[in-house]
Amino acid sequence: MKEKVQAYIKEIDGFIATTPEDLDEFRIKFLSKKGLIPALFAEMRNVAPENRKEFGAILNNLKNRAQQKINDLKETLESSKDSRKDDVDLSLPANFMEPGSRHPLSVVRNEIIDIFSRIGFSVSEGPEIEDDWHNFSALNFPEEHPARDMQDTFFIEKNPDIALRTHTSSVQVRVMEKEQPPIRSIFPGRVFRNEAISARAHCIFHQVEGLYIDENVSFADLKQTLYYFATELFGKGTKTRFRPSYFPFTEPSAEMDISCFICGGKGCKICKYTGWVEILGCGMVDPNVLENNNIDSNKYTGFAFGMGIERITMLKYQINDIRLFFENDLRFLKQFESAV
Ligand code: DAH
């Protein structure tokens, strides 16, 4: 019996399993009901009573040894299975990764920034949550101006002095507070208005504001700057025209139209058969606005302009519903893949 135990120990210690099946075979051979080790326990009957205790201990050790071996091998097999998972088959074809694309509003915003930076405009940003001073008062809005009406502005409920900015003109004020002229900057950003959402209007949209203040800045500078901008964005033959308008923060104020780039001015659906499309508001900075911001209006003059990025993008790509910009429908967004 001792020889058997010795032989089994040798076999158990030397056993190697490469598959779970090997291991199961081993378990059956040694530990199952009809296995070798239970058979040894059965032989205890033949052992002299005084030696039984010793043999019992030897057999228990043997049984534990076999069980330990099984546990160890199980662990090894399992961990090698895990590491196989990480193995990389370099001969497999690569996963196809669909490239993303820029959002059309980002494409056009970047283009606008690019054009103005070529003629020396820097870029600044301001907060989306504003106070009455920066959004209205400093910009020369009279107290009773309809834009202050609850209809247009999202106010913070508990504090009517705080609102979501209704235009990026508020950034003009932020910049004038910090810097003295010469100032030559554009301010892209998101704006908010309490409007019903439709194909033409949204309560969230984007604008780019521009501000140029220095000595001797004239309306001619404004016209030339915006003419350059229009021809860069819409193509060389583009014509511009200025119509008188009103904004509280500019005097005189104007709206700029460009000749319709679809029909070349002959008249079509896009320009509503007028040959012209409006793209921005502009004007000479009102001296009150300069004085509100501690800039000497006797020494300095300036011009400002503001445009809606959605509007320009819709014109440029002939998109007829503003809601498409915010719905994240891939069928829409994918069409701008090549426009980086
Ligand atoms: N803030 C105006 C708006 O949201 C746009 C605008 C018009 C900006 C004329 C200007 C400007 O700087 O001079 O409708």
Side-chain angles (χ1 to χ4, degrees), residues 166-169 172 193 205 207 209-210 247 249-250 254 280-284 303-307:
T166 57
H167 53 179
T168 43
S169 303
Q172 281 190 30
R193 286 188 198 174
F205 56 102
Q207 291 186 330
E209 183 83 10
F247 300 101
F249 37 91
T250 42
L280 54 81
C282 57
M284 300 306 292
F303 66 78
F305 55 89
M307 63 189 99

Side-chain angles (χ1 to χ4, degrees), residues 237-282:
T238 307
K239 294 194 206 89
T240 56
R241 81 173 181 189
F242 292 80
R243 284 177 291 102
S245 184
Y246 171 76
F247 300 101
F249 37 91
T250 42
E251 182 58 36
S253 302
E255 278 166 309
M256 185 176 90
D257 297 341
I258 55 167
S259 54
C260 183
F261 51 92
I262 301 297
C263 62
K266 285 195 207 79
C268 68
K269 232 175 131 185
I270 297 286
C271 61
K272 301 199 189 79
Y273 303 97
T274 63
W276 297 94
V277 281
E278 184 221 312
I279 62 160
L280 54 81
C282 57

Side-chain angles (χ1 to χ4, degrees), residues 31-248:
L31 293 173
S32 69
K33 259 193 188 151
K34 290 185 178 159
L36 295 173
I37 293 172
L40 283 183
F41 275 103
E43 282 183 39
M44 285 282 276
R45 266 183 279 126
N46 311 326
V47 175
E50 65 275 20
N51 294 334
R52 275 193 194 147
K53 203 173 166 195
E54 190 197 338
F55 266 98
I58 289 173
L59 292 186
N60 275 330
N61 278 342
L62 183 67
K63 188 177 157 196
N64 292 340
R65 202 179 189 111
Q67 190 57 54
Q68 190 57 49
K69 183 76 181 186
I70 289 173
N71 295 346
D72 291 349
L73 286 175
K74 215 180 200 166
E75 221 169 81
T76 326
L77 282 177
E78 233 136 52
S79 70
S80 76
K81 192 170 84 193
D82 284 345
S83 70
R84 237 179 291 142
K85 255 195 247 153
D86 297 336
D87 281 355
V88 178
D89 181 352
L90 293 174
S91 68
L92 284 174
N95 281 340
F96 179 66
M97 294 234 280
E98 220 174 322
S101 57
R102 285 221 192 282
H103 193 281
L105 294 177
S106 303
V107 172
V108 171
R109 184 202 52 208
N110 292 348
E111 225 173 317
I112 295 170
I113 291 174
D114 240 43
I115 293 170
F116 281 104
S117 58
R118 288 203 286 276
I119 50 173
F121 282 76
S122 61
V123 179
S124 291
E125 286 184 4
E128 294 179 347
I129 300 171
E130 266 300 6
D131 49 34
D132 181 273
W133 173 256
H134 291 90
N135 199 75
F136 296 127
S137 296
L139 289 165
N140 202 35
F141 276 78
E143 273 309 322
E144 71 289 358
H145 196 279
R148 291 182 181 221
D149 196 312
M150 299 295 271
Q151 301 288 309
D152 295 323
T153 309
F154 287 115
F155 289 96
I156 304 295
E157 216 173 275
K158 293 204 171 61
N159 185 352
D161 185 44
I162 307 292
L164 296 175
R165 67 179 177 198
T166 57
H167 53 179
T168 43
S169 303
S170 57
V171 191
Q172 281 190 30
V173 182
R174 296 256 162 214
V175 168
M176 283 189 267
E177 271 169 358
K178 280 196 311 227
E179 294 171 33
Q180 280 293 311
I183 294 170
R184 200 188 312 168
S185 287
I186 55 169
F187 321 120
R190 196 159 57 150
V191 301
F192 308 84
R193 286 188 198 174
N194 195 355
E195 299 226 25
I197 296 171
S198 71
R200 318 230 98 237
H202 210 287
C203 56
I204 301 177
F205 56 102
H206 298 78
Q207 291 186 330
V208 177
E209 183 83 10
L211 182 67
Y212 185 11
I213 304 174
D214 204 345
E215 291 178 38
N216 301 320
V217 176
S218 71
F219 203 89
D221 298 317
L222 177 156
K223 285 180 83 173
Q224 184 57 34
T225 303
L226 294 178
Y227 172 72
Y228 169 77
F229 164 70
T231 51
E232 287 294 295
L233 191 64
F234 289 101
K236 281 285 173 259
T238 307
K239 294 194 206 89
T240 56
R241 81 173 181 189
F242 292 80
R243 284 177 291 102
S245 184
Y246 171 76
F247 300 101

Side-chain angles (χ1 to χ4, degrees), residues 276-306:
W276 297 94
V277 281
E278 184 221 312
I279 62 160
L280 54 81
C282 57
M284 300 306 292
V285 179
D286 192 300
N288 288 342
V289 174
L290 296 175
E291 294 300 331
N292 282 342
N293 292 292
N294 297 321
I295 291 175
D296 184 352
S297 64
N298 292 316
K299 186 169 177 200
Y300 295 109
T301 50
F303 66 78
F305 55 89

